[in-house]
Amino acid sequence: QLQLHESGPGLVKPSETLSLTCTVSGDSISRSKYYWGWIRQPPGKGLEWIGTIFYSGGTYYSQSLKSRVTLSVEQAKNEISLKLNSVTAADTAVYFCARLGDPNGNYFDSWGQGTLVAVSS
Amino acid sequence: SSELTQPPSVSVSPGQTATITCSADVLAKQYSYWYQQKAGQAPILVMFKDNERPSGIPDRISGSSSGTTATLTIRGVQAEDEADYYCQSSGNGIVVFGGGTKLTVL
């Protein structure tokens, strides 16, 4: 059974870089050839797509975050990583990783539980 | 992709039918997808490609799309259906979510 688990610091200072890892278990990123994505949800607000990465490394990013976001794949560790630099309080959110469930990467069929990241000094 | 517009809230009594809409010009040429998110939980996919249900989703939940509006319908609403519902679409690798609709079961 596929499981995704997000991990990383729960508190990041303003202007610093937020770094999160999504560990995938129950499937191999390199063998399954799926797209993987990150989504965030500020407290009390809706879902916001951050970006998507193919198992081989190709990426798509939200236009609003593109200048600050980097996604990467570590196939040997079966992990997906997110880096968001120059964070502000507006980046405080629950961050989810998810698998995209079709060959074209159109929708998210499996989600991690999410991890809350607060941006504060 | 462009913004997807959803009503902020929908309220229904148990046993009634809830209808949640999602509107955007892009829906005329792209599929819609729907997620259910209960308080404190991750979203789960309840509908894909406008009207296909993932395994495990009850058949009282259905989806449709016509023109620029996609619709999620929940018949025989139960207390357990109370949640936030999000529509989503994608095109050329770009994903967009609707603002979400809070379904309240009275």
Side-chain angles (χ1 to χ4, degrees):
Chain A
Q1 181 182 355
L2 181 71
Q3 290 188 320
L4 297 87
H5 179 70
E6 305 89 348
S7 60
L11 181 64
V12 181
K13 289 183 168 53
S15 80
E16 295 189 346
T17 296
L18 180 160
S19 296
L20 296 175
T21 298
C22 174
T23 302
V24 177
S25 59
D27 198 2
S28 165
I29 290 175
S30 58
R31 280 200 304 272
S32 60
K33 297 181 172 50
Y34 282 102
Y35 283 90
W36 305 83
W38 287 91
I39 304 98
R40 70 180 184 180
Q41 185 172 36
K45 296 189 177 180
L47 301 172
E48 179 186 17
W49 174 67
I50 298 171
T52 297
I53 186 165
F54 198 38
Y55 79 100
S56 58
T59 53
Y60 299 95
Y61 294 126
S62 164
Q63 188 65 32
S64 64
L65 296 170
K66 188 173 185 177
S67 63
R68 299 194 290 131
V69 172
T70 303
L71 302 189
S72 59
V73 171
E74 183 73 59
Q75 290 188 13
K77 293 183 178 180
N78 226 35
E79 292 177 348
I80 312 291
S81 296
L82 162 70
K83 292 189 186 301
L84 179 66
N85 59 36
S86 304
V87 298
T88 70
D91 295 310
T92 293
V94 175
Y95 286 77
F96 297 98
C97 65
R99 185 184 73 176
L100 287 95
D102 73 325
N104 296 319
N106 285 316
Y107 62 89
F108 303 95
D109 69 342
S110 294
W111 294 64
Q113 64 186 19
T115 187
L116 175 62
V117 180
V119 178
S120 175
S121 55
Chain B
S1 296
S2 62
E3 282 190 15
L4 304 181
T5 301
Q6 298 181 236
S9 63
V10 168
S11 300
V12 295
S13 299
Q16 299 298 306
T17 296
T19 300
I20 301 172
T21 58
C22 175
S23 299
D25 289 345
V26 293
L27 294 179
K29 21 175 208 193
Q30 294 174 4
Y31 285 119
S32 63
Y33 309 92
W34 291 91
Y35 303 87
Q36 177 195 70
Q37 185 182 32
K38 296 184 178 179
Q41 298 182 19
I44 62 168
L45 181 72
V46 296
M47 200 64 55
F48 65 101
K49 290 186 179 179
D50 294 340
N51 57 16
E52 297 193 39
R53 265 187 311 274
S55 61
I57 303 302
D59 61 6
R60 58 192 184 79
I61 298 178
S62 61
S64 64
S65 186
S66 178
T68 60
T69 300
T71 302
L72 184 73
T73 302
I74 306 174
R75 295 186 303 276
V77 166
Q78 302 174 5
E80 67 188 41
D81 298 322
E82 187 160 285
D84 294 324
Y85 290 83
Y86 294 91
C87 63
Q88 178 242 306
S89 191
S90 61
N92 298 320
I94 303 302
V95 173
V96 62
F97 286 98
T101 298
K102 181 174 183 60
L103 174 63
T104 299
V105 181
L106 300 171

